[in-house]
Amino acid sequence: MRVLGIESSCDETGLAVLDVERSGEARIVAESLASQVALHEKYGGVVPELASREHMRSLPLLLDEVLQKGGVSLKDIEAIGVTCGPGLKGCLLIGVTFAQGLSAAHKVPLFPVNHIEGHILSGELHSPGLKPPYLTLVVSGGHTEIVLVEGLGRYTCLCRTRDDAAGEAFDKSANLLGLNYPGGARLAAAADTVAGRRSRFSLPRVGREMDDFSFSGLKTAVLLLIRKNQEALAADPTALPEICWTIQDAIVDALVVKVEREVKKRKLPLVVCGGVSANTELRRRLQERCPEVHVPPLRHCVDNGAMIAYVAGRYLSAGASAGRLDIHSRWPVETLGVCA
């Protein structure tokens, strides 16, 4: 089945065309992505109204681009998948409205997709031999959770953050250090320059014994660390990278401790997905401590259209009918129910 996927939940506009087999295997025919980093950089974060307008501008351009790349036309598309949540409502609305227009004009079935399910199933998209059950660490700017995947549409959240997500912890810490947007990525890049992965600075290990993740206490500890070391930051050019390393080390440790615990307990493969799964140190530690780890390629750690097309193709191949196109700013993946 040839499926067009449309993603517009936040600040990336992604479109992709996939051939999805009934077995679950898929081939990416073509994909295109437009990032809005330059647009939001001067504001220090994503401005929802500007993001929505940029999606409106980018969607028709990316559609033309992806069809040309793949050598296909809209007549070849058998189904469309579009992100309906979770995400920014205005951004979601632009993507859904665009998809509805295509669906109506070309009489193609339209399927609503949960953005987090897209990230989760990206493990199967890129590792065809991977089959449920397995564990997934979903780690991004808005989500940090460990999910047990038992089948298509069958998800149990084992552990999630009580407050900030890991990506927010990176971004807020970067903001305290005065790093420009996207701060989390800049903090990680600075941390990776520290030789020997060692730092003279330290932070408490927050929430190691808790059942859930929590990063709000870490943010306070980072603020105190920065205030305590203002002179070093001003005088020593190695201080900033070392503090960045210390922050990254604390965030990654909080993630790895709980993931390793669940992997040992359940003896299942692990998929790591979401924007923070691009973090080099997180990947390294999980691959050292867990027997089987699947991580999508870097281009699919960020939001993208391929994962949306894949989810829609999987459900339609399983015989599911198109659902209601309701927009959800929050949409916990465990509420999706069991696929028939």
Side-chain angles (χ1 to χ4, degrees), residues 37-49:
V37 168
L39 174 66
H40 300 289
E41 185 173 7
K42 62 182 175 181
Y43 301 102
V46 177
V47 180
E49 184 176 348

Side-chain angles (χ1 to χ4, degrees), residues 82-85 96 100 110-114 321-328 331:
V82 61
T83 303
C84 288
V96 168
Q100 286 175 319
L110 180 58
F111 199 90
V113 176
N114 180 291
S321 57
R324 292 177 56 181
L325 291 171
D326 296 330
I327 291 171
H328 310 271
W331 193 5

Side-chain angles (χ1 to χ4, degrees), residues 137-165:
L137 172 64
V138 182
V139 57
S140 68
H143 300 271
T144 300
E145 51 205 47
I146 301 173
V147 177
L148 172 63
V149 180
E150 298 180 275
L152 184 63
R154 298 167 57 195
Y155 309 106
T156 302
C157 183
L158 305 176
C159 171
R160 70 166 30 111
T161 183
R162 295 182 178 182
D163 38 64
D164 291 346

Side-chain angles (χ1 to χ4, degrees), residues 74-215:
L74 286 170
K75 293 180 181 178
D76 301 316
I77 302 300
E78 300 173 71
I80 299 172
V82 61
T83 303
C84 288
L88 299 174
K89 280 194 171 182
C91 296
L92 293 167
L93 180 61
I94 296 299
V96 168
T97 303
F98 183 74
Q100 286 175 319
L102 291 177
S103 174
H106 297 277
K107 296 180 173 56
V108 177
L110 180 58
F111 199 90
V113 176
N114 180 291
H115 175 84
I116 300 304
E117 187 173 26
H119 279 302
I120 289 172
L121 292 187
S122 62
E124 294 184 39
L125 170 61
H126 293 286
S127 301
L130 177 67
K131 303 296 180 186
Y134 56 86
L135 295 170
T136 301
L137 172 64
V138 182
V139 57
S140 68
H143 300 271
T144 300
E145 51 205 47
I146 301 173
V147 177
L148 172 63
V149 180
E150 298 180 275
L152 184 63
R154 298 167 57 195
Y155 309 106
T156 302
C157 183
L158 305 176
C159 171
R160 70 166 30 111
T161 183
R162 295 182 178 182
D163 38 64
D164 291 346
E168 288 177 295
F170 271 106
D171 289 337
K172 290 178 179 180
S173 297
N175 183 261
L176 292 171
L177 285 166
L179 299 178
N180 293 332
Y181 175 86
R186 296 183 190 277
L187 187 152
D192 290 343
T193 66
V194 176
R197 298 194 297 272
R198 293 180 180 178
S199 171
R200 79 195 87 163
F201 307 104
S202 63
L203 283 168
R205 292 295 183 258
V206 179
R208 267 176 161 253
E209 304 305 320
M210 295 170 55
D211 291 334
D212 292 327
F213 297 106
S214 176
F215 293 99

Side-chain angles (χ1 to χ4, degrees), residues 56-77:
M56 187 183 299
R57 188 191 71 83
S58 297
L59 281 166
L61 300 176
L62 290 183
L63 177 63
D64 288 344
E65 183 178 298
V66 78
L67 293 176
Q68 185 175 2
K69 279 183 179 179
V72 296
S73 73
L74 286 170
K75 293 180 181 178
D76 301 316
I77 302 300

Side-chain angles (χ1 to χ4, degrees), residues 239-321:
L240 177 61
E242 287 190 30
I243 287 182
C244 289
W245 164 256
T246 301
I247 295 167
Q248 176 176 265
D249 181 42
I251 296 171
V252 169
D253 177 79
L255 296 169
V256 171
V257 164
K258 290 181 174 56
V259 171
E260 186 179 16
R261 179 184 67 195
E262 292 294 343
V263 168
K264 286 183 176 179
K265 177 181 176 181
R266 300 173 188 275
K267 296 180 172 57
L268 292 174
L270 173 69
V271 171
V272 189
C273 59
V276 182
S277 67
N279 184 276
T280 303
E281 184 63 16
L282 176 63
R283 287 175 175 236
R284 185 188 70 81
R285 291 194 200 180
L286 288 173
Q287 288 168 345
E288 281 184 353
R289 301 187 189 186
C290 302
E292 184 180 346
V293 181
H294 301 267
V295 188
L298 289 176
R299 74 182 190 279
H300 285 163
C301 291
V302 299
D303 300 343
N304 62 89
M307 67 183 190
I308 304 305
Y310 183 66
V311 172
R314 288 288 305 277
Y315 274 101
L316 292 167
S317 295
S321 57

